Amino acid sequence: MFLVNPKSKQPLYEQLVEQLRQQLILGVVEAGTALPSVRQLATELGLNPNTVQKAYRRMEEEGMILSVPGKGSFVSDDLADLLGKQRAEQLAKTRQALCACREMGLSQETMEELVRSVYKEGDVC
């Protein structure tokens, strides 16, 4: 479910959060799915349990998961609402970025080519 790269500049806990976010967006992990315990995941990945706990806490703060004392952590049942909200926020940010690009004199054709390259060629984001 998770893989971490200790050589990455991105902190390990952030790698875990981003991976779960991607899995949720892609539909790999569904609402209600139980996550491994902090101890189990830390052991599997060779991480300090505090690192995994920090990731789980961040995921819970963002509404991605729900922790139930004595039972574990589960993917939130409000997943569809959460993803809808995140998509709307991203569209608003993208619109602001496009407006800034237009104000800087970048042409529509240039921006369309950028979009094509990201979606068609699979540019690394």
Side-chain angles (χ1 to χ4, degrees), residues 65-113:
I65 68 171
L66 174 65
S67 295
V68 180
K71 294 194 177 192
S73 297
F74 302 87
V75 175
S76 174
D77 289 331
D78 298 330
L79 187 57
D81 292 339
L82 174 66
L83 291 177
K85 181 180 176 185
Q86 289 179 344
R87 286 181 176 135
E89 290 171 359
Q90 191 60 50
L91 284 172
K93 289 178 188 177
T94 301
R95 181 177 178 75
Q96 288 176 335
L98 287 171
C99 288
C101 289
R102 185 185 64 204
E103 290 170 3
M104 293 296 298
L106 292 168
S107 70
Q108 180 176 340
E109 292 78 19
T110 299
M111 298 311 298
E112 288 173 352
E113 181 56 36

Side-chain angles (χ1 to χ4, degrees), residues 3-59:
L3 296 171
V4 293
N5 178 1
K7 295 181 181 179
S8 172
K9 292 182 180 182
Q10 185 180 31
L12 296 171
Y13 79 93
E14 286 182 6
Q15 291 180 44
L16 295 173
V17 173
E18 287 304 313
Q19 288 179 32
L20 180 62
R21 182 177 288 117
Q22 280 302 111
Q23 291 177 17
L24 295 173
I25 290 169
L26 296 173
V28 175
V29 178
E30 298 178 359
T33 301
L35 298 177
S37 70
V38 169
R39 189 172 306 205
Q40 178 185 358
L41 188 57
T43 301
E44 287 176 14
L45 298 176
L47 298 175
N48 184 311
N50 291 333
T51 300
V52 176
Q53 182 61 44
K54 188 173 185 177
Y56 276 25
R57 189 169 37 254
R58 173 71 61 86
M59 290 182 229

